[in-house]
Amino acid sequence: MQPFTLRVIEVIKSIPEGSIMTYGQIAEQAGSRRAARQVVRILHSLSGIHNLPWHRVVNAKGEIAIPDEESRYMQTVILQGEGVEVSKDGRVDVDKYRYYPVNEEEIF
């Protein structure tokens, strides 16, 4: 597995309950700020294998970006269960719920 992929997995695992991070934020934390789409692919393909909290990841606008309606609903329900407010149009207040790791030691 590539080092970037391993770092992405660790960043996603570090997101605490009741918080979110964006794809781009995760990419930047993992060392490649322009690799948000790669984060999407990693999350899609490795969430189950690594038991990643996939539901805590949203796009830069705070939108739940999963096209599948059932999965979007599931993400909404799980986030709300963790205390994250999700609007009727599937948006999360990024400023309110975004997780900012204090330093790399929290992740790696």
Side-chain angles (χ1 to χ4, degrees), residues 64-76:
I64 292 175
I66 300 172
D68 174 61
E69 197 170 316
E70 186 176 331
S71 297
R72 287 174 56 86
Y73 175 75
M74 181 64 86
Q75 185 173 8
T76 300

Side-chain angles (χ1 to χ4, degrees), residues 7 10-11 13-15 29-30 99-108:
R7 288 191 302 270
E10 292 306 313
V11 171
K13 283 183 175 182
S14 78
I15 306 169
Q29 287 287 318
Y99 172 60
Y100 292 98
V102 176
N103 58 48
E104 285 187 3
E105 291 175 10
E106 286 186 26
I107 298 171
F108 303 108

Side-chain angles (χ1 to χ4, degrees), residues 3 10 19 33 54 59 86 94-95:
E10 292 306 313
S19 299
R33 65 185 306 188
W54 59 272
N59 73 15
V86 181
V94 176
D95 293 330

Side-chain angles (χ1 to χ4, degrees), residues 8-28:
V8 166
I9 289 168
E10 292 306 313
V11 171
I12 294 169
K13 283 183 175 182
S14 78
I15 306 169
E17 185 174 313
S19 299
I20 57 97
M21 288 181 81
T22 67
Y23 298 105
Q25 182 186 7
I26 292 166
E28 186 171 359

